[in-house]
Amino acid sequence: MAGRGKARVVVANRAQLSWDLINPDGWLAPDHRARLVVGFIETLDLTVLYDKVEAREGTAGRPAADPAVLFALWLLATMDGVGSARELDRLTSQDLAYRWVACGVPVNYHGLAEFRVAHADVLDDLLTETLAAFMAERLFDADEIVVDGTKIKASAGKSSYKRALRLDEAEAAAKARVAALKAEVDADPAASSKRTQAARARGLRQTQERIEKARGKLAEIEAEKAERAKRSPKEVAGQKEARASLTDPQARRMRCADGAVRASYNVQIAVTTDHGFVTAIMATDRRNDSGLVRPMLEASEQRLGRPIKRLLADTGFAQVDDIAALSSRPEAPVGVYIHPPKDRTDVKPATLLVRQREREREPQTIKDWRQRMTTNEAEAIMKKRGRIERVNANFKNRGFGTLLVRGLAKVQAIGLWHALAHNLTIALRLRAMAASAA
């Protein structure tokens, strides 16, 4: 309007240096999940992690990052579905929740990645400790569990699988590169920096180590094939020559739930049927689940410190001998609920007669099991087996569907992180429900 001066406003001056007073404790709401995770970490005994810290008072060197902070960062990241150390490193500088957790503790993706897979033994003990605490709160009933396996995509491609001949060629090529690197250094030590030389030498050593591991896996596969050939020669007669991955020698090619065959690990999970608390988790390279019920049951009982009264699993998880052994344990018999494989009906009368005679010679515990699985009560109980499917889905929604690490030991560590995050998520939800109902 005429007669009015120019608008007077405060403009942004991004070149001006300034000191800001911040209060990190005011960044998050009182009930924010990051606060709950840190509060949970504070209740744990992390002495063993502090004992592993090499930086000590009275000695030279920088202090190490607080293991409790690293533990809280990874637990929160797992709950949020973050599985990359680089992404977690970015979040600690850009996301308020992760900045609040770190709050001045220096982190980098190298240290984060190493911490995530270096303490599987500690994670296993903490899973036991936390389950005991949740059980003391009466958050779950440990009398009944369900066991299942889920295929997890490994960090290895189809082209990385090599026959024995190709492994020999890869080893020869690696040795040639080592010789070439040595000749280059001898001819002109200043041709490349020491850091570059060390990185190349380290890469070649790792390649040779993977080749040796792949050879070991090939020998293991051939031994399994020879054992199967004794039982069923036709089963292995048309199979191709065994192959092992140079990228991840311990990963096996498996048929997954979508029908595709890819490099995978078979992770076994045991959970309670009421709220789905994970009582045991075990990474394997087994293509099928047969015979894994007993070790999973024993691992759950050892972790819970009490016997399991009832076990649910899918058909094929246990052999008849396993079911007989579990059902007749003198100290604590287990009620096994597994549907028997369906009998073929398109067989000759003589085959039916042989089957009938074999069933008549079975132990009484097996006869009782077969009879029990035909009842309506068994059908109602087996409906609770669906709990494990939801747990598997939750794991994969948090990033457990595809692995970014290699090797059984590291896969087991990642599985334990997911088990801890899953159990804590359930416990926080149950506590919130109890508080709102009070």
Side-chain angles (χ1 to χ4, degrees):
M1 296 178 63
R4 297 183 64 185
K6 184 180 179 180
R8 187 173 67 248
V9 297
V10 177
V11 298
N13 184 359
R14 298 179 180 87
Q16 175 65 47
L17 297 178
S18 63
W19 295 95
D20 292 331
L21 295 177
I22 60 173
N23 176 24
D25 205 41
W27 290 347
L28 306 179
D31 59 346
H32 194 281
R33 183 157 64 178
R35 291 185 184 273
L36 300 178
V37 168
V38 170
F40 170 73
I41 299 300
E42 291 173 348
T43 66
L44 303 179
D45 183 6
L46 302 181
T47 303
V48 65
L49 291 179
Y50 287 97
D51 290 341
K52 294 182 179 183
V53 174
E54 295 183 1
R56 294 290 166 181
E57 293 183 1
T59 61
R62 293 181 178 180
D66 188 353
V69 171
L70 299 179
F71 194 99
L73 284 172
W74 268 122
L75 190 57
L76 180 61
T78 305
M79 295 170 72
D80 288 342
V82 177
S84 165
R86 290 180 182 270
E87 176 64 11
L88 180 54
D89 185 16
R90 185 190 67 81
L91 288 173
T92 56
S93 62
Q94 298 182 16
D95 185 274
L96 278 182
Y98 290 88
R99 286 179 61 191
W100 181 85
V101 175
C103 210
V105 175
V107 297
N108 59 72
Y109 72 89
H110 280 295
L112 289 168
E114 182 180 356
F115 182 86
R116 190 187 189 198
V117 297
H119 308 291
D121 55 338
V122 179
L123 295 173
D124 191 81
D125 291 340
L126 289 175
L127 181 59
T128 302
E129 178 184 336
T130 54
L131 276 173
F134 296 151
M135 191 161 53
E137 290 185 58
R138 300 183 183 276
L139 294 182
F140 67 91
D141 181 2
D143 288 341
E144 185 179 73
I145 65 170
V146 55
V147 180
D148 193 21
T150 182
K151 306 291 178 58
I152 307 300
K153 183 181 178 183
S155 184
K158 181 180 178 180
S159 61
S160 70
Y161 281 80
K162 308 293 183 183
R163 296 174 293 159
L165 177 61
R166 297 301 183 189
L167 289 179
D168 293 338
E169 294 174 354
E171 184 176 25
K175 290 180 178 179
R177 290 196 298 271
V178 170
L181 177 60
K182 186 176 184 302
E184 177 185 327
V185 174
D186 292 341
D188 184 6
S192 58
S193 68
K194 291 184 178 180
R195 178 175 295 180
T196 302
Q197 293 175 7
R200 292 171 63 187
R202 182 172 61 252
L204 291 172
R205 285 196 306 270
Q206 292 173 349
T207 298
Q208 290 180 315
E209 290 173 1
R210 289 198 299 270
I211 290 172
E212 290 302 316
K213 290 180 179 179
R215 288 187 191 280
K217 179 56 68 174
L218 277 181
E220 180 183 329
I221 295 173
E222 290 293 349
E224 292 177 2
K225 187 175 179 181
E227 187 64 27
R228 291 200 307 273
K230 295 178 182 178
R231 301 192 303 267
S232 177
K234 293 182 180 180
E235 180 184 352
V236 299
Q239 290 184 351
K240 298 180 180 179
E241 186 178 353
R243 288 171 167 79
S245 173
L246 273 178
T247 304
D248 187 353
Q250 291 182 308
R252 300 280 294 272
R253 286 180 60 77
M254 306 177 185
R255 188 168 299 279
C256 300
D258 59 358
V261 177
R262 59 175 66 95
S264 304
Y265 287 94
N266 187 2
V267 179
Q268 302 294 310
I269 305 176
V271 304
T272 62
T273 57
D274 51 1
H275 298 295
F277 280 90
V278 176
T279 59
I281 186 166
M282 179 176 64
T284 76
D285 60 355
R286 295 272 300 273
R287 287 194 173 101
N288 57 64
D289 303 324
S290 178
L292 293 175
V293 156
R294 292 174 70 177
M296 291 300 291
L297 175 74
E298 292 166 0
S300 296
E301 290 183 330
Q302 183 177 4
R303 196 180 299 282
L304 295 170
R306 54 179 295 178
I308 302 295
K309 296 181 180 179
R310 185 182 293 166
L311 182 143
L312 286 64
D314 203 358
T315 302
F317 237 96
Q319 303 297 326
V320 172
D321 293 342
D322 296 323
I323 296 172
L326 294 174
S327 301
S328 59
R329 289 197 310 183
E331 69 280 6
V334 180
V336 179
Y337 285 79
I338 300 176
H339 281 303
K342 292 184 178 180
D343 293 328
R344 289 184 56 182
T345 57
D346 57 338
V347 296
K348 298 178 181 179
T351 303
L352 290 174
L353 183 60
V354 170
R355 180 191 300 167
Q356 181 180 353
R357 289 175 178 174
E358 289 177 349
R359 297 282 170 83
E360 291 174 353
R361 290 194 297 267
E362 286 179 341
Q364 187 60 42
T365 53
I366 298 301
K367 294 178 181 178
D368 295 340
W369 163 65
R370 292 187 185 278
Q371 175 60 32
R372 179 169 65 245
M373 296 310 300
T374 63
T375 63
N376 293 332
E377 179 186 4
E379 287 300 322
I381 292 173
M382 287 299 290
K383 287 182 179 179
K384 291 185 284 185
R385 205 193 70 81
R387 171 65 67 179
I388 192 72
E389 302 299 341
R390 280 178 279 175
V391 174
N392 289 337
N394 288 335
F395 269 50
K396 293 182 178 181
N397 287 338
R398 295 191 183 105
F400 197 50
T402 301
L403 296 166
L404 302 179
V405 298
R406 295 165 183 160
L408 268 174
K410 292 182 179 180
V411 174
Q412 177 68 16
I414 302 303
L416 288 166
W417 278 110
H418 279 271
L420 283 166
H422 176 80
N423 287 353
L424 178 58
T425 301
I426 297 174
L428 293 177
R429 187 185 74 238
L430 294 177
R431 289 170 179 170
M433 291 171 59
S436 62

